[in-house]
Amino acid sequence: MSELLRAAWESRDHARADYSNFRVGAAIEAADGTVFGGCNVESSSYGLTMCAERVAVFKAISEGAREFRRVAVVTDTPSLTPPCGACRQVLWDFCGDIEVILANRTGETRTYRLTDLIPDAFDADRLR
Ligand code: THU
């Protein structure tokens, strides 16, 4: 298993999925190889919940990382879990067209380019 997937599984152990019980782990690799993990964190005010992918990205940004290569998302579910729409947007904003690697416990994996998950995305260029 790659270091990135290992980090995503490790982060998933910290998930606070108290309401959905749907535990997600993510890990993002910066251009210099540094890996930042994230897990979903749910609030009793459900709408304040934060997905694992955005936790990982925001952790990385807050630590000064600026360029990224890959992000992994893991769940212990029969099917793989692709990032939600909000996470796709944030990944696009901060990471551009990175690799998105999905995995579950059965060892199934699938790799996408982010542009395949969010084609014709809105971004800062459209604000000009
Ligand atoms: N969730 C993630 O963390 N990432 C995804 O890609 C999909 C959904 C979380 C949010 C919430 O805590 C739970 O999964 C159920 O939606």
Side-chain angles (χ1 to χ4, degrees), residues 5 9 72-77 79-81 101-110:
L5 281 176
W9 284 114
V73 185
V74 301
T75 47
D76 187 6
T77 47
S79 59
L80 300 171
T81 301
I101 301 153
L102 312 181
N104 65 9
R105 283 260 188 246
T106 69
E108 185 185 353
T109 64
R110 182 157 180 191

Side-chain angles (χ1 to χ4, degrees), residues 17 20 22 24 40-42 49-53 73 81-84 87:
S20 74
F22 190 78
V24 185
N40 54 330
V41 182
E42 296 182 352
T49 289
M50 188 56 62
C51 292
E53 297 91 320
V73 185
T81 301
C84 78
C87 289

Side-chain angles (χ1 to χ4, degrees), residues 1-125:
M1 189 191 294
S2 72
E3 192 206 332
L4 192 67
L5 281 176
R6 209 182 302 280
W9 284 114
E10 205 175 295
S11 288
R12 183 179 171 276
D13 289 339
H14 304 299
R16 289 296 306 267
D18 305 27
Y19 307 98
S20 74
N21 210 29
F22 190 78
R23 302 162 71 81
V24 185
I28 189 160
E29 184 185 285
D32 70 357
T34 310
V35 169
F36 300 88
C39 60
N40 54 330
V41 182
E42 296 182 352
S43 168
S44 59
S45 181
Y46 301 161
L48 303 182
T49 289
M50 188 56 62
C51 292
E53 297 91 320
R54 275 176 289 158
V55 170
V57 173
F58 293 152
K59 272 173 70 179
I61 294 292
S62 69
E63 295 291 323
R66 286 295 178 269
E67 281 182 51
F68 302 95
R69 288 200 290 237
R70 303 184 295 159
V71 62
V73 185
V74 301
T75 47
D76 187 6
T77 47
S79 59
L80 300 171
T81 301
C84 78
C87 289
R88 293 177 196 206
Q89 180 67 50
V90 168
L91 286 167
W92 177 253
D93 286 336
F94 291 105
C95 311
D97 191 19
I98 57 170
E99 248 182 37
V100 180
I101 301 153
L102 312 181
N104 65 9
R105 283 260 188 246
T106 69
E108 185 185 353
T109 64
R110 182 157 180 191
T111 301
Y112 295 88
R113 302 296 311 187
L114 187 60
T115 41
D116 295 324
L117 297 179
I118 183 166
D120 200 21
F122 177 80
D123 58 26
D125 289 343

